Amino acid sequence: MKRSFIICMLCLASTVNGLAQNLQLHYDLGHSLYKELTSRPSVTTTFEMFKPDKWGSTFTFTDIDYQRDGVAGAYWEIAREFNVSANKQWAVHVEYNGGLTSDEETWNATRFQHAFLAGGAWNWHSGDFSKTFSLQVMYKYYFKNRHYGAHPFNGFQVTEVWGLQFAKNLFTFSGFCDTWYDPNVDGKLIILSEPQFWVNFYALKGMKGVNLSLGTEVEISNNFVWNDNGQNNRCYVIPTVAAKWTF
């Protein structure tokens, strides 16, 4: 399940261009690159929204995965930050994430072990918002999952989010890296990073208002992706071919 958390770049968009949300379409190459990922969904759509206010900001996104014959799963995340410093660099961060997936043979829906997170965030940007960075350190609580018999447990998560606009906003390099504790995996840590690279058509001469971007996302993970053998104990590097419309 793709997990996108590009708060900094959404903040840049809303500040510079008045744009605060986007819709992404990803064609995932995992099923072609790894023989044990043949059942991995090929297409994912992502909707992201960022809204700042005088108290802080709200960010939410929804991923929907598709197989040839319909929706295969969905993931939802919502985060709220409350500024605690005058320069808005320091904030309290609270977050919820969860979702479900369907069994390809039985079509029974299975809920993920959803989680609640709370902690602190440090946010930085350059004067023109062309460079952004955020660091979040959070307590993470997993709720009980009756389907898997999974028990609730406490842990932590560290998230870094970055964004870089260059060549007069023609190119965007952005992404995140999550590291979190999970006692059920090898080494008790899961790592997930999703750097993105975009070519922004609105930056081209005569293309103002065409808020289309084309590019790629590369999912780099350890102990995260479940393969066809029912295991999630290895590393994967999975690129996509992607399009994004910002509005």
Side-chain angles (χ1 to χ4, degrees), residues 83-142:
N83 298 324
V84 294
S85 65
N87 60 7
K88 300 183 180 180
Q89 280 193 318
W90 295 93
V92 173
H93 183 104
V94 292
E95 179 181 329
Y96 167 83
N97 53 68
L100 55 83
T101 186
S102 61
D103 183 271
E104 192 172 2
E105 295 182 358
T106 65
W107 288 100
N108 292 324
T110 301
R111 295 186 299 275
F112 300 150
Q113 191 172 8
H114 59 169
F116 170 79
L117 301 91
W122 179 76
N123 303 305
W124 173 88
H125 62 81
S126 61
D128 60 357
F129 283 86
S130 64
K131 303 178 183 67
T132 59
F133 182 78
S134 177
L135 175 65
Q136 300 147 22
V137 180
M138 296 168 286
Y139 160 84
K140 189 170 189 176
Y141 177 78
Y142 278 99

Side-chain angles (χ1 to χ4, degrees), residues 150-209:
H151 298 288
F153 65 89
N154 302 312
F156 69 89
Q157 179 170 309
V158 178
T159 295
E160 304 92 25
V161 188
W162 69 88
L164 175 65
Q165 297 271 111
F166 58 100
K168 297 182 179 180
N169 295 329
L170 179 61
F171 302 116
T172 299
F173 176 62
S174 58
F176 74 91
C177 181
D178 286 341
T179 302
W180 71 93
Y181 170 82
D182 189 321
N184 302 306
V185 301
D186 294 344
K188 302 187 184 303
L189 288 177
I190 296 177
I191 300 173
L192 174 64
S193 182
E194 291 184 355
Q196 297 183 341
F197 180 81
W198 299 102
V199 179
N200 304 311
F201 281 67
Y202 60 78
L204 297 173
K205 186 176 181 180
M207 299 289 282
K208 185 178 180 180

Side-chain angles (χ1 to χ4, degrees), residues 30-44:
H31 63 285
S32 300
L33 297 176
Y34 299 96
K35 61 181 181 180
E36 70 271 25
L37 296 181
T38 55
S39 63
R40 181 179 172 91
S42 300
V43 176
T44 297

Side-chain angles (χ1 to χ4, degrees), residues 68-86:
R68 291 176 179 268
D69 47 2
V71 173
Y75 176 84
W76 180 61
E77 183 169 302
I78 185 167
R80 174 69 195 184
E81 288 196 354
F82 299 93
N83 298 324
V84 294
S85 65

Side-chain angles (χ1 to χ4, degrees), residues 34-76:
Y34 299 96
K35 61 181 181 180
E36 70 271 25
L37 296 181
T38 55
S39 63
R40 181 179 172 91
S42 300
V43 176
T44 297
T45 56
T46 299
F47 176 76
E48 297 179 324
M49 185 192 74
F50 175 81
K51 184 174 178 58
D53 55 51
K54 66 178 181 178
W55 303 108
S57 62
T58 302
F59 173 79
T60 186
F61 79 90
T62 301
D63 282 342
I64 301 178
D65 291 331
Y66 306 85
Q67 296 282 16
R68 291 176 179 268
D69 47 2
V71 173
Y75 176 84
W76 180 61

